[in-house]
Amino acid sequence: MTSDLLKKIDDAINFIKTKTSIVPEVGIILGTGLGSLANEITSNVVLNYKDIPHFPLSTVESHQGKLHFGKLSEKNVIVMQGRFHFYEGYSMQQITFPVRVMKKMGVKTLIISNAAGGVNPSYKKGDIMIIKDHINLLGDNPLIGQNEDELGPRFPDMSEPYSQNLIKLSEEIASQKKIKTQTGVFTAMSGPTLETRAEYKFLQKIGTDAVGMSTIPEVIVAVHMSLQVLGFSIITDECDPEKLQVLNLEDVINVATKTEPSLREIIKGVISQL
Ligand code: HPA
């Protein structure tokens, strides 16, 4: 018997196939202020999320809600320009649905990015952090509920959610291109409130280098389906509990937009070597 989730994935793919015949190998999810990588995709077919069956709609203004198909660094890619967040009220299953669709279309590697606060005191605004591990403090998990054995195991292993090979490759490419990177642990909180000073102190103590409100649900579902994952955080603000400044969303987007060309170079370099 086909489950509801498997049927929904097929509905979305059947619609997409009426618009493009591309078989994507790499999936990319672009975070806040990072959408312009989509402009470099060639032979581009663009679909609006609102037209794709079972895709939720993005409610955040800084996210565009477009799915791009085409070539980047000679590889077939599917790129989400705009993602869904838990704080928008979507369920974890809705947030991660596009990753399910990517896998079923042929994607083997997921590259995911976000804008994040720098909790590690040595991190500076505009740094790029390669994610080496994560701490899920969202208070939910997209795999809660009946397991879809056809998609992945009941208890997915999390000893290497982010591919060590891709981390190493990213570090090498960044160093060749003289782009400074950090490599650290990303923690997700539900938001939409920013963290209190006490929460930043707690995050530092538990080993967080960067904090944000996204990414982990998609990564969990990608790992569930055995995709290899590479994640990046752009540090858009410094979260020192002793010198905390009021966060300005415009500032976050400006820092992300300014840093995006460097991240784009790393991502293109990685894709060319997959
Ligand atoms: N927390 C703190 N700073 C941030 C975040 C966050 O979730 N996202 C971007 N900057």
Side-chain angles (χ1 to χ4, degrees), residues 1-26:
M1 198 182 79
T2 308
S3 78
D4 193 39
L5 174 59
L6 296 175
K7 185 184 168 308
K8 284 180 174 169
I9 296 169
D10 283 343
D11 288 347
I13 291 178
N14 288 339
F15 171 80
I16 291 167
K17 283 191 172 155
T18 66
K19 307 290 179 191
T20 174
S21 57
I22 203 172
V23 178
E25 184 182 334
V26 182

PDB file of all heavy atoms in Angstrom, residues 1-26:
ATOM      1  N   MET A   1       0.847  -1.205   0.000  1.00  0.00           N
ATOM      2  CA  MET A   1       0.000   0.000   0.000  1.00  0.00           C
ATOM      3  C   MET A   1       0.884   1.256   0.000  1.00  0.00           C
ATOM      4  O   MET A   1       1.855   1.336   0.742  1.00  0.00           O
ATOM      5  CB  MET A   1      -0.886  -0.013   1.249  1.00  0.00           C
ATOM      6  CG  MET A   1      -2.062   0.908   1.145  1.00  0.00           C
ATOM      7  SD  MET A   1      -3.045   0.901   2.660  1.00  0.00           S
ATOM      8  CE  MET A   1      -2.086   1.958   3.714  1.00  0.00           C
ATOM      9  N   THR A   2       0.534   2.202  -0.843  1.00  0.00           N
ATOM     10  CA  THR A   2       1.318   3.437  -0.882  1.00  0.00           C
ATOM     11  C   THR A   2       0.848   4.361   0.236  1.00  0.00           C
ATOM     12  O   THR A   2      -0.345   4.625   0.366  1.00  0.00           O
ATOM     13  CB  THR A   2       1.124   4.154  -2.231  1.00  0.00           C
ATOM     14  OG1 THR A   2       1.371   3.219  -3.258  1.00  0.00           O
ATOM     15  CG2 THR A   2       2.078   5.317  -2.365  1.00  0.00           C
ATOM     16  N   SER A   3       1.795   4.855   1.037  1.00  0.00           N
ATOM     17  CA  SER A   3       1.418   5.731   2.142  1.00  0.00           C
ATOM     18  C   SER A   3       1.114   7.126   1.620  1.00  0.00           C
ATOM     19  O   SER A   3       1.435   7.474   0.479  1.00  0.00           O
ATOM     20  CB  SER A   3       2.549   5.808   3.152  1.00  0.00           C
ATOM     21  OG  SER A   3       3.537   6.682   2.640  1.00  0.00           O
ATOM     22  N   ASP A   4       0.538   7.917   2.504  1.00  0.00           N
ATOM     23  CA  ASP A   4       0.201   9.293   2.173  1.00  0.00           C
ATOM     24  C   ASP A   4       1.455  10.077   1.745  1.00  0.00           C
ATOM     25  O   ASP A   4       1.443  10.799   0.747  1.00  0.00           O
ATOM     26  CB  ASP A   4      -0.422   9.919   3.420  1.00  0.00           C
ATOM     27  CG  ASP A   4      -1.095  11.228   3.102  1.00  0.00           C
ATOM     28  OD1 ASP A   4      -1.723  11.310   2.029  1.00  0.00           O
ATOM     29  OD2 ASP A   4      -0.977  12.164   3.912  1.00  0.00           O
ATOM     30  N   LEU A   5       2.550   9.907   2.509  1.00  0.00           N
ATOM     31  CA  LEU A   5       3.777  10.646   2.198  1.00  0.00           C
ATOM     32  C   LEU A   5       4.333  10.235   0.834  1.00  0.00           C
ATOM     33  O   LEU A   5       4.684  11.092   0.010  1.00  0.00           O
ATOM     34  CB  LEU A   5       4.835  10.415   3.296  1.00  0.00           C
ATOM     35  CG  LEU A   5       6.214  11.018   3.033  1.00  0.00           C
ATOM     36  CD1 LEU A   5       6.140  12.543   2.834  1.00  0.00           C
ATOM     37  CD2 LEU A   5       7.191  10.693   4.178  1.00  0.00           C
ATOM     38  N   LEU A   6       4.383   8.931   0.567  1.00  0.00           N
ATOM     39  CA  LEU A   6       4.925   8.468  -0.720  1.00  0.00           C
ATOM     40  C   LEU A   6       4.064   8.984  -1.867  1.00  0.00           C
ATOM     41  O   LEU A   6       4.579   9.384  -2.918  1.00  0.00           O
ATOM     42  CB  LEU A   6       5.015   6.942  -0.756  1.00  0.00           C
ATOM     43  CG  LEU A   6       5.977   6.321   0.259  1.00  0.00           C
ATOM     44  CD1 LEU A   6       5.906   4.797   0.215  1.00  0.00           C
ATOM     45  CD2 LEU A   6       7.409   6.781   0.015  1.00  0.00           C
ATOM     46  N   LYS A   7       2.768   9.025  -1.651  1.00  0.00           N
ATOM     47  CA  LYS A   7       1.863   9.525  -2.692  1.00  0.00           C
ATOM     48  C   LYS A   7       2.097  11.017  -2.943  1.00  0.00           C
ATOM     49  O   LYS A   7       2.132  11.476  -4.090  1.00  0.00           O
ATOM     50  CB  LYS A   7       0.405   9.265  -2.293  1.00  0.00           C
ATOM     51  CG  LYS A   7      -0.569   9.655  -3.398  1.00  0.00           C
ATOM     52  CD  LYS A   7      -2.018   9.505  -3.000  1.00  0.00           C
ATOM     53  CE  LYS A   7      -2.929  10.178  -4.024  1.00  0.00           C
ATOM     54  NZ  LYS A   7      -2.574  11.573  -4.332  1.00  0.00           N
ATOM     55  N   LYS A   8       2.284  11.765  -1.858  1.00  0.00           N
ATOM     56  CA  LYS A   8       2.522  13.210  -2.007  1.00  0.00           C
ATOM     57  C   LYS A   8       3.828  13.471  -2.756  1.00  0.00           C
ATOM     58  O   LYS A   8       3.911  14.380  -3.597  1.00  0.00           O
ATOM     59  CB  LYS A   8       2.566  13.890  -0.635  1.00  0.00           C
ATOM     60  CG  LYS A   8       1.188  14.056  -0.028  1.00  0.00           C
ATOM     61  CD  LYS A   8       1.288  14.730   1.329  1.00  0.00           C
ATOM     62  CE  LYS A   8      -0.097  15.033   1.880  1.00  0.00           C
ATOM     63  NZ  LYS A   8      -0.047  15.438   3.280  1.00  0.00           N
ATOM     64  N   ILE A   9       4.870  12.684  -2.448  1.00  0.00           N
ATOM     65  CA  ILE A   9       6.151  12.842  -3.149  1.00  0.00           C
ATOM     66  C   ILE A   9       5.926  12.593  -4.653  1.00  0.00           C
ATOM     67  O   ILE A   9       6.389  13.357  -5.504  1.00  0.00           O
ATOM     68  CB  ILE A   9       7.216  11.856  -2.584  1.00  0.00           C
ATOM     69  CG1 ILE A   9       7.530  12.188  -1.118  1.00  0.00           C
ATOM     70  CG2 ILE A   9       8.491  11.880  -3.427  1.00  0.00           C
ATOM     71  CD1 ILE A   9       8.355  11.128  -0.395  1.00  0.00           C
ATOM     72  N   ASP A  10       5.198  11.525  -4.956  1.00  0.00           N
ATOM     73  CA  ASP A  10       4.930  11.211  -6.374  1.00  0.00           C
ATOM     74  C   ASP A  10       4.124  12.307  -7.050  1.00  0.00           C
ATOM     75  O   ASP A  10       4.393  12.668  -8.199  1.00  0.00           O
ATOM     76  CB  ASP A  10       4.192   9.865  -6.496  1.00  0.00           C
ATOM     77  CG  ASP A  10       5.154   8.696  -6.293  1.00  0.00           C
ATOM     78  OD1 ASP A  10       6.382   8.919  -6.398  1.00  0.00           O
ATOM     79  OD2 ASP A  10       4.685   7.578  -6.016  1.00  0.00           O
ATOM     80  N   ASP A  11       3.131  12.867  -6.354  1.00  0.00           N
ATOM     81  CA  ASP A  11       2.324  13.964  -6.935  1.00  0.00           C
ATOM     82  C   ASP A  11       3.233  15.126  -7.322  1.00  0.00           C
ATOM     83  O   ASP A  11       3.117  15.689  -8.409  1.00  0.00           O
ATOM     84  CB  ASP A  11       1.305  14.508  -5.915  1.00  0.00           C
ATOM     85  CG  ASP A  11       0.154  13.561  -5.657  1.00  0.00           C
ATOM     86  OD1 ASP A  11      -0.013  12.592  -6.421  1.00  0.00           O
ATOM     87  OD2 ASP A  11      -0.581  13.798  -4.658  1.00  0.00           O
ATOM     88  N   ALA A  12       4.134  15.506  -6.391  1.00  0.00           N
ATOM     89  CA  ALA A  12       5.022  16.653  -6.654  1.00  0.00           C
ATOM     90  C   ALA A  12       5.921  16.346  -7.846  1.00  0.00           C
ATOM     91  O   ALA A  12       6.100  17.179  -8.742  1.00  0.00           O
ATOM     92  CB  ALA A  12       5.849  16.970  -5.404  1.00  0.00           C
ATOM     93  N   ILE A  13       6.480  15.129  -7.862  1.00  0.00           N
ATOM     94  CA  ILE A  13       7.412  14.777  -8.946  1.00  0.00           C
ATOM     95  C   ILE A  13       6.677  14.687 -10.288  1.00  0.00           C
ATOM     96  O   ILE A  13       7.188  15.139 -11.314  1.00  0.00           O
ATOM     97  CB  ILE A  13       8.160  13.472  -8.600  1.00  0.00           C
ATOM     98  CG1 ILE A  13       9.122  13.765  -7.438  1.00  0.00           C
ATOM     99  CG2 ILE A  13       8.920  12.931  -9.808  1.00  0.00           C
ATOM    100  CD1 ILE A  13       9.894  12.588  -6.936  1.00  0.00           C
ATOM    101  N   ASN A  14       5.472  14.149 -10.284  1.00  0.00           N
ATOM    102  CA  ASN A  14       4.718  14.071 -11.540  1.00  0.00           C
ATOM    103  C   ASN A  14       4.468  15.463 -12.102  1.00  0.00           C
ATOM    104  O   ASN A  14       4.576  15.687 -13.309  1.00  0.00           O
ATOM    105  CB  ASN A  14       3.391  13.331 -11.337  1.00  0.00           C
ATOM    106  CG  ASN A  14       3.635  11.844 -11.144  1.00  0.00           C
ATOM    107  OD1 ASN A  14       4.691  11.326 -11.543  1.00  0.00           O
ATOM    108  ND2 ASN A  14       2.696  11.158 -10.501  1.00  0.00           N
ATOM    109  N   PHE A  15       4.189  16.423 -11.223  1.00  0.00           N
ATOM    110  CA  PHE A  15       4.000  17.801 -11.691  1.00  0.00           C
ATOM    111  C   PHE A  15       5.321  18.358 -12.237  1.00  0.00           C
ATOM    112  O   PHE A  15       5.363  18.918 -13.336  1.00  0.00           O
ATOM    113  CB  PHE A  15       3.487  18.696 -10.552  1.00  0.00           C
ATOM    114  CG  PHE A  15       3.476  20.149 -10.925  1.00  0.00           C
ATOM    115  CD1 PHE A  15       2.448  20.672 -11.699  1.00  0.00           C
ATOM    116  CD2 PHE A  15       4.516  20.990 -10.541  1.00  0.00           C
ATOM    117  CE1 PHE A  15       2.461  22.020 -12.084  1.00  0.00           C
ATOM    118  CE2 PHE A  15       4.537  22.329 -10.914  1.00  0.00           C
ATOM    119  CZ  PHE A  15       3.503  22.847 -11.688  1.00  0.00           C
ATOM    120  N   ILE A  16       6.399  18.183 -11.469  1.00  0.00           N
ATOM    121  CA  ILE A  16       7.706  18.732 -11.878  1.00  0.00           C
ATOM    122  C   ILE A  16       8.108  18.158 -13.240  1.00  0.00           C
ATOM    123  O   ILE A  16       8.626  18.867 -14.100  1.00  0.00           O
ATOM    124  CB  ILE A  16       8.783  18.437 -10.795  1.00  0.00           C
ATOM    125  CG1 ILE A  16       8.496  19.255  -9.530  1.00  0.00           C
ATOM    126  CG2 ILE A  16      10.181  18.728 -11.321  1.00  0.00           C
ATOM    127  CD1 ILE A  16       9.286  18.841  -8.301  1.00  0.00           C
ATOM    128  N   LYS A  17       7.818  16.885 -13.437  1.00  0.00           N
ATOM    129  CA  LYS A  17       8.215  16.228 -14.702  1.00  0.00           C
ATOM    130  C   LYS A  17       7.466  16.759 -15.913  1.00  0.00           C
ATOM    131  O   LYS A  17       7.895  16.557 -17.051  1.00  0.00           O
ATOM    132  CB  LYS A  17       8.058  14.709 -14.588  1.00  0.00           C
ATOM    133  CG  LYS A  17       9.199  14.105 -13.784  1.00  0.00           C
ATOM    134  CD  LYS A  17       9.212  12.603 -13.897  1.00  0.00           C
ATOM    135  CE  LYS A  17      10.478  12.045 -13.246  1.00  0.00           C
ATOM    136  NZ  LYS A  17      10.291  10.660 -12.794  1.00  0.00           N
ATOM    137  N   THR A  18       6.337  17.431 -15.682  1.00  0.00           N
ATOM    138  CA  THR A  18       5.647  18.067 -16.820  1.00  0.00           C
ATOM    139  C   THR A  18       6.367  19.363 -17.206  1.00  0.00           C
ATOM    140  O   THR A  18       6.099  19.938 -18.256  1.00  0.00           O
ATOM    141  CB  THR A  18       4.168  18.393 -16.505  1.00  0.00           C
ATOM    142  OG1 THR A  18       4.133  19.410 -15.487  1.00  0.00           O
ATOM    143  CG2 THR A  18       3.387  17.176 -16.067  1.00  0.00           C
ATOM    144  N   LYS A  19       7.278  19.841 -16.364  1.00  0.00           N
ATOM    145  CA  LYS A  19       7.963  21.122 -16.607  1.00  0.00           C
ATOM    146  C   LYS A  19       9.435  20.956 -16.978  1.00  0.00           C
ATOM    147  O   LYS A  19      10.016  21.818 -17.619  1.00  0.00           O
ATOM    148  CB  LYS A  19       7.900  22.012 -15.344  1.00  0.00           C
ATOM    149  CG  LYS A  19       6.506  22.222 -14.796  1.00  0.00           C
ATOM    150  CD  LYS A  19       5.681  23.089 -15.719  1.00  0.00           C
ATOM    151  CE  LYS A  19       4.270  23.272 -15.191  1.00  0.00           C
ATOM    152  NZ  LYS A  19       3.397  23.877 -16.195  1.00  0.00           N
ATOM    153  N   THR A  20      10.061  19.881 -16.504  1.00  0.00           N
ATOM    154  CA  THR A  20      11.487  19.666 -16.801  1.00  0.00           C
ATOM    155  C   THR A  20      11.797  18.174 -16.764  1.00  0.00           C
ATOM    156  O   THR A  20      11.196  17.432 -15.981  1.00  0.00           O
ATOM    157  CB  THR A  20      12.409  20.397 -15.786  1.00  0.00           C
ATOM    158  OG1 THR A  20      13.767  20.037 -16.058  1.00  0.00           O
ATOM    159  CG2 THR A  20      12.105  20.069 -14.343  1.00  0.00           C
ATOM    160  N   SER A  21      12.746  17.767 -17.633  1.00  0.00           N
ATOM    161  CA  SER A  21      13.121  16.348 -17.652  1.00  0.00           C
ATOM    162  C   SER A  21      14.458  16.120 -16.952  1.00  0.00           C
ATOM    163  O   SER A  21      15.016  15.037 -16.989  1.00  0.00           O
ATOM    164  CB  SER A  21      13.198  15.859 -19.095  1.00  0.00           C
ATOM    165  OG  SER A  21      14.125  16.677 -19.786  1.00  0.00           O
ATOM    166  N   ILE A  22      14.966  17.165 -16.325  1.00  0.00           N
ATOM    167  CA  ILE A  22      16.285  17.089 -15.700  1.00  0.00           C
ATOM    168  C   ILE A  22      16.312  16.047 -14.566  1.00  0.00           C
ATOM    169  O   ILE A  22      15.327  15.895 -13.846  1.00  0.00           O
ATOM    170  CB  ILE A  22      16.685  18.482 -15.169  1.00  0.00           C
ATOM    171  CG1 ILE A  22      18.200  18.594 -15.046  1.00  0.00           C
ATOM    172  CG2 ILE A  22      16.070  18.776 -13.846  1.00  0.00           C
ATOM    173  CD1 ILE A  22      18.641  20.018 -14.713  1.00  0.00           C
ATOM    174  N   VAL A  23      17.418  15.328 -14.465  1.00  0.00           N
ATOM    175  CA  VAL A  23      17.629  14.429 -13.323  1.00  0.00           C
ATOM    176  C   VAL A  23      18.714  15.064 -12.453  1.00  0.00           C
ATOM    177  O   VAL A  23      19.892  15.007 -12.781  1.00  0.00           O
ATOM    178  CB  VAL A  23      18.055  13.016 -13.786  1.00  0.00           C
ATOM    179  CG1 VAL A  23      18.315  12.113 -12.576  1.00  0.00           C
ATOM    180  CG2 VAL A  23      16.998  12.417 -14.692  1.00  0.00           C
ATOM    181  N   PRO A  24      18.319  15.710 -11.350  1.00  0.00           N
ATOM    182  CA  PRO A  24      19.319  16.419 -10.549  1.00  0.00           C
ATOM    183  C   PRO A  24      20.165  15.468  -9.714  1.00  0.00           C
ATOM    184  O   PRO A  24      19.673  14.459  -9.217  1.00  0.00           O
ATOM    185  CB  PRO A  24      18.475  17.334  -9.647  1.00  0.00           C
ATOM    186  CG  PRO A  24      17.157  16.657  -9.544  1.00  0.00           C
ATOM    187  CD  PRO A  24      16.961  15.846 -10.791  1.00  0.00           C
ATOM    188  N   GLU A  25      21.434  15.848  -9.575  1.00  0.00           N
ATOM    189  CA  GLU A  25      22.374  15.026  -8.817  1.00  0.00           C
ATOM    190  C   GLU A  25      22.669  15.696  -7.464  1.00  0.00           C
ATOM    191  O   GLU A  25      22.945  15.043  -6.482  1.00  0.00           O
ATOM    192  CB  GLU A  25      23.633  14.984  -9.691  1.00  0.00           C
ATOM    193  CG  GLU A  25      24.759  14.152  -9.255  1.00  0.00           C
ATOM    194  CD  GLU A  25      25.926  14.308 -10.251  1.00  0.00           C
ATOM    195  OE1 GLU A  25      25.710  14.631 -11.428  1.00  0.00           O
ATOM    196  OE2 GLU A  25      27.050  14.123  -9.805  1.00  0.00           O
ATOM    197  N   VAL A  26      22.599  17.038  -7.483  1.00  0.00           N
ATOM    198  CA  VAL A  26      22.914  17.813  -6.279  1.00  0.00           C
ATOM    199  C   VAL A  26      21.697  18.674  -5.920  1.00  0.00           C
ATOM    200  O   VAL A  26      21.125  19.331  -6.793  1.00  0.00           O
ATOM    201  CB  VAL A  26      24.126  18.751  -6.523  1.00  0.00           C
ATOM    202  CG1 VAL A  26      24.482  19.512  -5.251  1.00  0.00           C
ATOM    203  CG2 VAL A  26      25.328  17.969  -7.028  1.00  0.00           C
TER     204      VAL A  26
END
